[in-house]
């Protein structure tokens, strides 16, 4: 193993740049030559591959997004393009590839692994959705949660001044993790996510009682997966009798400079990813559980459904259950 490459795939996250910095510096420290693949699997197909050095990563640790760009590649689904991607890696004599991304990216990595000889792969979970089975934490989640916290704290100022209900739509694709943690840590009155059944009638009883007792405004966090923001806003207007507004947080959740935690996690994830490759593993994903790192087979990670931990779900179930 001499030449090693890294690429970012799928939705970008804050902390990817910190990972790139660690990748270059740790590779060199281990006697390897680091390469960047620009634009994810698309870049692999198009041979956007170049040797990276210290100057490429100077000053990027504090920047969100990814310096080497990311993409979701349709072409990568086709075997002919994957062959082109493998040929490009071989041209550069690259025998190891680190992939930062979500489960879709790892599935792509596995197909590529099955079709390649002499190339090893290591995946780093990186998605704000925190929806990858087999790992408690994905790079970028802490920064996204802090971004949402900042947004909800600001919305609370106007919600309270104007006595309104704010329906805040959080990202997460099919997973309610971001919405749930944000609702809990921002002191929201309502949290709707796909993992927890809810009954608006229960909320109605509780909210009407709270209004009688002096409550003037509400914060509701709703997961994008439910596609219910409009309906919930209408419910506040018509059933609760309080003027509502919808705030779709959108892509600001993916931006911002990475938190200390994400910078540190980026360093750990990359260190583990390179170590696992140096140990001779052909294909694995680095996971973080119970305060420590290990690596798992791609099948254990990419083809299973992520479950929010029981203790967190239990807290979430308290929403809407107050009488
Ligand atoms: O996977 C990350 C994510 O931000 C999801 O939370 C969201 O549903 C999706 O990507 C948005 O994708 P796009 O950037 O293509 O609009």
């Amino acid at each position: 193993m001499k030449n090693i490459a890294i690429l970012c795939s799928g939705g970008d996250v804050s902390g990817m740049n910190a990972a790139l910095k660690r990748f270059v510096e740790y590779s060199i420290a281990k006697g390897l030559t680091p390469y960047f693949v620009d634009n994810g699997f698309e870049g692999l197909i198009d041979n956007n591959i170049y040797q990276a050095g210290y100057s490429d990563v100077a000053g990027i640790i504090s920047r969100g997004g990814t310096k080497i760009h990311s993409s979701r590649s349709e072409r990568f689904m086709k075997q002919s393009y994957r062959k082109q991607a493998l040929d490009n890696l071989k041209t550069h004599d690259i025998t190891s590839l680190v992939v930062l991304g979500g489960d879709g990216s790892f599935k792509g990595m596995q197909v590529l692994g099955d079709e390649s000889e002499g190339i090893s792969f290591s995946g780093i979970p990186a998605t704000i959705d925190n929806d990858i089975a087999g790992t408690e934490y994905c790079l970028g989640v802490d920064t996204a949660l802090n971004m949402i916290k900042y947004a909800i704290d600001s919305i609370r100022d106007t919600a309270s001044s104007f006595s309104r209900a704010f329906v805040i739509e959080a990202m997460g694709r099919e997973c309610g993790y971001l919405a749930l943690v944000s609702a809990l840590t921002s002191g929201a009155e309502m949290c709707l996510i796909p993992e927890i059944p809810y009954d608006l009638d229960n909320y109605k009883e509780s909210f009407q009682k709270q209004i009688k007792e002096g409550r003037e405004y509400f914060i509701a966090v709703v997961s994008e997966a439910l596609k219910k923001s409009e309906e919930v806003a209408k419910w506040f207007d018509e059933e609760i009798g309080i003027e509502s507004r919808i705030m779709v947080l959108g892509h600001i959740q993916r931006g911002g400079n990475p938190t200390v935690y994400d910078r540190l996690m980026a360093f750990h994830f990359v260190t583990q990813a390179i170590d696992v490759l140096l140990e001779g593993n052909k294909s694995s994903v680095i996971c973080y559980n119970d305060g420590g790192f290990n690596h798992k087979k791609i099948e254990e990670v990419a083809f299973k459904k992520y479950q929010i931990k029981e203790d967190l779900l239990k807290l979430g179930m308290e929403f809407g259950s107050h009488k």
Side-chain angles (χ1 to χ4, degrees), residues 215-232:
R215 172 171 288 289
E216 293 174 338
Y217 70 97
F218 292 92
I219 302 285
V221 182
V222 178
S223 160
E224 68 169 351
L226 294 172
K227 300 183 173 61
K228 294 271 184 204
S229 300
E230 302 269 346
E231 189 183 312
V232 176

Side-chain angles (χ1 to χ4, degrees), residues 6-24 36 40 57 60-71 99-102 105 124-128 139-141 143 254 256-259 262-263 265-267 270:
I6 191 166
L7 64 80
C8 298
S9 174
D12 52 282
V13 305
S14 271
M16 280 178 163
N17 280 327
L20 296 179
K21 177 179 165 65
R22 177 65 178 167
F23 173 78
V24 166
F36 282 165
V57 292
I60 68 170
I61 195 166
S62 58
R63 282 164 42 195
T66 164
K67 180 177 173 154
I68 61 171
H69 307 100
S70 188
S71 62
V99 173
L100 285 150
S105 314
I124 295 177
T127 165
I128 64 163
L139 189 64
V141 172
T143 306
R254 290 228 300 255
N257 70 335
T259 59
D262 271 327
R263 295 178 197 198
M265 288 303 273
F267 271 47
V270 169

Side-chain angles (χ1 to χ4, degrees), residues 108-309:
M109 192 174 90
Q110 185 170 46
V111 181
L112 202 61
D114 291 344
E115 291 168 356
S116 73
E117 261 177 47
I119 300 174
S120 303
F121 302 88
S122 188
I124 295 177
T127 165
I128 64 163
D129 303 336
N130 211 38
D131 63 347
I132 300 181
T135 185
E136 268 172 35
Y137 191 76
C138 301
L139 189 64
V141 172
D142 188 59
T143 306
L145 286 172
N146 276 286
M147 209 61 184
I148 299 172
K149 180 202 71 171
Y150 173 77
I152 299 182
D153 286 351
S154 304
I155 288 168
R156 181 181 295 282
D157 293 342
T158 172
S160 60
S161 306
F162 230 85
S163 302
R164 278 174 170 161
F166 266 86
V167 178
I168 296 160
E169 187 176 294
M171 275 187 172
R173 210 175 282 274
E174 298 304 316
C175 176
Y177 182 89
L178 273 191
L180 175 54
V181 175
S182 300
L184 288 167
T185 55
S186 300
E189 284 69 46
M190 177 187 262
C191 173
L192 304 184
I193 62 169
E195 292 84 352
I196 302 178
Y198 65 90
D199 182 352
L200 286 181
D201 286 339
N202 286 349
Y203 274 108
K204 186 173 173 180
E205 205 180 313
S206 159
F207 285 4
Q208 283 175 335
K209 188 165 163 254
Q210 290 180 43
I211 288 171
K212 273 195 198 122
E213 287 165 4
R215 172 171 288 289
E216 293 174 338
Y217 70 97
F218 292 92
I219 302 285
V221 182
V222 178
S223 160
E224 68 169 351
L226 294 172
K227 300 183 173 61
K228 294 271 184 204
S229 300
E230 302 269 346
E231 189 183 312
V232 176
K234 202 161 170 256
W235 177 84
F236 271 111
D237 283 315
E238 293 175 2
E239 300 291 325
I240 306 300
I242 181 166
E243 190 183 35
S244 71
R245 290 288 186 271
I246 299 173
M247 170 82 195
V248 179
L249 293 177
H251 289 76
I252 61 158
Q253 292 164 101
R254 290 228 300 255
N257 70 335
T259 59
V260 168
Y261 188 71
D262 271 327
R263 295 178 197 198
L264 200 56
M265 288 303 273
F267 271 47
H268 285 311
F269 269 124
V270 169
T271 305
Q272 297 285 327
I274 293 177
D275 284 349
V276 156
L277 289 166
L278 286 169
E279 283 159 16
N281 291 285
K282 180 148 170 47
S283 187
S284 50
V285 175
I286 308 302
C287 295
Y288 180 78
N289 291 298
D290 301 321
F293 291 89
N294 61 1
H295 61 98
K296 296 188 179 175
K297 292 201 177 86
I298 298 177
E299 314 74 278
E300 287 178 68
V301 172
F303 296 90
K304 287 189 178 166
K305 191 170 162 41
Y306 170 80
Q307 310 280 358
I308 297 178
K309 283 184 109 183

